[in-house]
Amino acid sequence: MGVGDYYRLQVHRDSISTDAELDYDVEDRLNDGTRFTLGSSYRFDPNDTLLVTLYHLDRPYYLFRQSVGDARNANGNPFSQPSAIKSTVEGGVGVFTVLSYDRKQIIIR
């Protein structure tokens, strides 16, 4: 069994300059990169142009993104545990990484 893979899936409608219709991170511990299924709400109209991007993330960047989301969710919530941001940058906050991705344009028929 391998160490697992980490992915980010984004689906944009018409242009990547707008907010994503779908944006989530996935940790693949079950299939270890061989095959897995990701889906959406499928709320698209005929002739919509979708830009689907699948990023392959390294573990430190995945953990950074998760910790930023956790910290954002904890902010202002008096019942939530504080959450530290997991950073690999000494003397700052962030992660030094390289992003690799596959992008496909899909036109809904």
Side-chain angles (χ1 to χ4, degrees):
M1 179 137 200
V3 295
D5 289 307
Y6 305 90
Y7 301 96
R8 178 180 184 189
L9 175 70
Q10 287 187 313
V11 177
H12 291 86
R13 194 185 305 243
D14 299 324
S15 170
I16 59 171
S17 64
T18 59
D19 288 338
E21 298 282 324
L22 177 76
D23 187 353
Y24 59 83
D25 298 340
V26 178
E27 180 179 3
D28 178 25
R29 290 181 290 174
L30 182 62
N31 296 322
D32 197 27
T34 56
R35 255 180 217 264
F36 62 95
T37 303
L38 300 173
S40 74
S41 63
Y42 300 103
R43 293 183 181 161
F44 303 112
D45 297 320
N47 297 317
D48 275 351
T49 300
L50 304 180
L51 296 165
V52 180
T53 308
L54 181 67
Y55 297 91
H56 188 241
L57 310 177
D58 62 356
R59 180 175 168 78
Y61 184 56
Y62 174 80
L63 294 175
F64 171 76
R65 288 187 47 81
Q66 292 298 322
S67 67
V68 167
D70 292 344
R72 187 177 294 136
N73 292 336
N75 188 25
N77 182 350
F79 303 107
S80 179
Q81 290 281 48
S83 178
I85 295 178
K86 296 177 181 169
S87 175
T88 63
V89 176
E90 192 171 314
V93 176
V95 172
F96 186 77
T97 190
V98 175
L99 287 176
S100 61
Y101 65 89
D102 288 313
R103 179 173 289 141
K104 301 287 184 198
Q105 179 179 356
I106 300 171
I107 299 173
I108 305 295
R109 299 286 172 212

